[in-house]
């Protein structure tokens, strides 16, 4: 049997699905002075790294191996984060394709020395691609939504995917049109 035939058989084999709860995770971190920007609040890039770290852990857990960030959509900062805040980054797989996954992330913050409830300070959606040891895409298990909220998130993720693909297609068509017209951008 050839390597191509073996790969085709492996691709066509059904991978058992995994429930969302199997890979859901929370990463918590206390913000310090070294995390601040020029305004004295926590730098957005610090929060984005925590978001990517938590999402990457979830993607790796769900896919059962390495996964790389393919895109980050809709990173929204709702409130500033301050030195001394305990930040909780909650992530879960919302949707899976053949080799990619959308991970939804919520960012919450609370004062380290107070007993007030955490408030949501940000959110993001990231797309991860599962890769093998050679960096080639590999199949991921289907995600199994468990609650009505999970099912809603799964449906919303499919809408975001449709929009990402339509946007990419429209941009490629525009570039091809401009190239045909002699524009060298």
């Amino acid at each position: 049997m050839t390597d191509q035939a073996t790969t085709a058989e492996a691709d066509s084999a059904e991978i058992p699905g995994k429930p969302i709860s199997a890979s859901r995770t929370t990463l918590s971190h206390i913000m310090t002075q070294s995390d601040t920007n020029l305004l004295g609040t926590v730098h957005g890039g610090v929060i984005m790294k925590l978001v990517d770290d938590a999402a990457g852990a979830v993607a790796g857990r769900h896919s059962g191996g390495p996964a790389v960030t393919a895109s980050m959509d809709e990173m929204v900062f709702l409130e500033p984060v301050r030195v001394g805040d305990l930040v909780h980054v909650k992530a879960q797989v919302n949707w899976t394709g053949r080799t990619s996954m959308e991970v939804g992330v919520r960012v919450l913050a609370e004062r380290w020395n107070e007993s007030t409830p955490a408030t949501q300070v940000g959110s993001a959606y990231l797309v991860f691609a599962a890769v093998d040891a050679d960096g080639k895409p590999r199949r991921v298990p289907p995600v199994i939504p468990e609650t009505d909220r999970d099912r809603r998130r799964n449906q919303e993720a499919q809408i975001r995917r449709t929009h990402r693909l339509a946007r990419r297609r429209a941009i490629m068509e525009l570039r091809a049109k401009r190239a045909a017209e002699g524009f060298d951008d």
Side-chain angles (χ1 to χ4, degrees):
M1 188 175 282
T2 68
D3 286 343
Q4 273 187 326
T6 305
T7 302
E9 282 180 21
D11 276 354
S12 65
E14 189 63 33
I15 298 175
K18 286 186 178 179
I20 285 176
S21 62
S23 59
R24 185 180 287 140
T25 194
T26 300
L27 176 119
S28 296
H29 189 80
I30 192 158
M31 299 291 104
T32 65
Q33 191 66 40
S34 64
D35 299 317
T36 61
N37 59 26
L38 297 175
L39 299 174
T41 56
V42 172
H43 194 285
V46 171
I47 301 298
M48 290 173 75
K49 182 177 183 331
L50 293 173
V51 164
D52 191 46
D53 287 347
V58 166
R61 288 171 90 174
H62 182 81
S63 68
V68 296
T69 310
S71 70
M72 178 184 269
D73 287 354
E74 300 180 38
M75 180 71 217
V76 177
F77 297 99
L78 302 169
E79 298 284 335
V81 176
R82 300 172 294 160
V83 169
D85 281 353
L86 181 57
V87 172
H88 308 286
V89 183
K90 297 177 176 277
Q92 72 174 45
V93 174
N94 290 334
W95 170 89
T96 54
R98 195 174 78 75
T99 62
S100 63
M101 304 155 271
E102 183 196 89
V103 179
V105 181
R106 285 181 7 149
V107 183
L108 305 157
E110 61 181 309
R111 294 306 294 165
W112 69 275
N113 60 348
E114 297 175 8
S115 60
T116 56
T119 59
Q120 186 170 350
V121 296
S123 65
Y125 300 101
L126 296 88
V127 176
F128 278 78
V131 295
D132 64 17
D134 297 322
K136 304 287 187 226
R138 63 181 175 80
R139 300 263 321 264
V140 299
V143 69
I144 302 169
E146 299 169 281
T147 66
D148 286 338
R149 176 182 264 179
D150 291 343
R151 284 183 277 284
R152 175 187 55 80
R153 288 180 176 165
N154 182 271
Q155 291 170 334
E156 290 172 357
Q158 291 177 52
I159 292 168
R160 282 187 292 276
R161 179 176 187 272
T162 299
H163 288 191
R164 276 192 297 273
L165 294 174
R167 182 177 61 233
R168 181 182 310 150
R169 189 171 39 256
I171 289 169
M172 296 309 289
E173 288 170 2
L174 176 63
R175 288 180 182 173
K177 179 183 175 211
R178 288 184 54 81
E181 293 171 351
F183 290 101
D184 185 22
D185 321 300

